[in-house]
Amino acid sequence: MEGYSLLMQLSAPIRDDEHSENLLVIPHEEQVIPCGGLIKKLITLAAFLKELENQSHLIHLNYEGSNFLEVHAFLKDQYEAHVEQFDVIGEFVRSLDFWMPMCTNGLREALPCFQHVDSHDGRKMLTMYYQNLEDLLVLVENIEPTATELKVLDVANYMAELMAATNKAAWFIKATLRGC
């Protein structure tokens, strides 16, 4: 029973040290992990991806235009990709032994800014989504060096993958908007 209790203590999720932006102290192991700032960035990224999922899904449902079928299919792929991306980022946070927010309200608190669609005009909806993809690239660019510096290489590598996917999606939307 004693071993079980120790295992439960060691496997309990760990929170940021309230007094440090970048350090996490694990009392059981007397170990300091400098990743609190990275975790906050990852949670912000997860929140942004969740909003992109919702936005792309709603644009997918509301878009009308001569290129409806192509845009409709593209946006379906996008919101499905955002679900997967959100899940990967959330799993990175958990694998580093931190909590994710418990609900949408917690995610929104972690989200500093997000541009919302304010028109049913197809061009305006796609433009807003494009601008949010560009903002996503900035978030990713800010996380990769931190993850590399902290030697959290799985996160750093995924940031490169996420950047490539986001650049490709942004290119598709730019090409579509030029044709409208």
Side-chain angles (χ1 to χ4, degrees):
M1 262 331 212
E2 191 175 304
Y4 176 77
S5 176
L6 178 60
L7 177 63
M8 292 303 291
Q9 289 174 1
L10 291 175
S11 65
I14 300 163
R15 295 235 177 218
D16 275 306
D17 180 63
E18 292 179 18
H19 306 291
S20 173
E21 184 82 8
N22 295 314
L23 295 178
L24 171 68
V25 178
I26 303 176
H28 305 294
E29 300 173 10
E30 304 278 330
Q31 181 180 6
V32 176
I33 299 175
C35 60
L38 175 62
I39 296 303
K40 289 178 183 177
K41 289 178 182 181
L42 288 173
I43 291 172
T44 297
L45 177 60
F48 203 89
L49 288 166
K50 193 54 132 169
E51 285 296 318
L52 279 173
E53 173 204 336
N54 192 39
Q55 186 174 69
S56 59
H57 201 160
L58 290 169
I59 296 170
H60 160 86
L61 295 171
N62 288 316
Y63 186 84
E64 292 182 349
S66 61
N67 56 353
F68 168 78
L69 290 176
E70 295 86 359
V71 171
H72 188 76
F74 167 75
L75 289 170
K76 182 175 195 248
D77 291 343
Q78 283 302 111
Y79 71 74
E80 289 173 350
H82 293 315
V83 169
E84 185 177 322
Q85 293 160 351
F86 172 82
D87 193 62
V88 169
I89 299 302
E91 288 175 356
F92 283 143
V93 170
R94 293 299 293 134
S95 71
L96 292 166
D97 221 8
F98 285 81
W99 291 111
M100 283 291 292
M102 292 187 297
C103 66
T104 303
N105 288 340
L107 284 174
R108 286 197 181 120
E109 288 174 12
L111 191 62
C113 64
F114 187 85
Q115 299 182 54
H116 297 279
V117 172
D118 60 4
S119 169
H120 282 99
D121 175 80
R123 185 174 181 78
K124 289 181 180 178
M125 288 190 290
L126 288 178
T127 298
M128 191 60 63
Y129 181 60
Y130 169 79
Q131 289 173 349
N132 281 322
L133 289 175
E134 291 292 321
D135 290 343
L136 175 63
L137 289 170
V138 173
L139 287 172
V140 170
E141 288 170 357
N142 287 318
I143 292 171
E144 188 278 329
T146 304
T148 299
E149 179 183 329
L150 295 171
K151 297 187 182 350
V152 186
L153 300 181
D154 53 347
V155 172
N157 288 336
Y158 187 72
M159 291 305 105
E161 290 177 29
L162 184 55
M163 182 170 283
T166 303
N167 274 322
K168 186 175 181 179
W171 164 62
F172 182 91
I173 292 173
K174 275 193 292 191
T176 300
L177 288 170
R178 286 182 184 138
C180 291

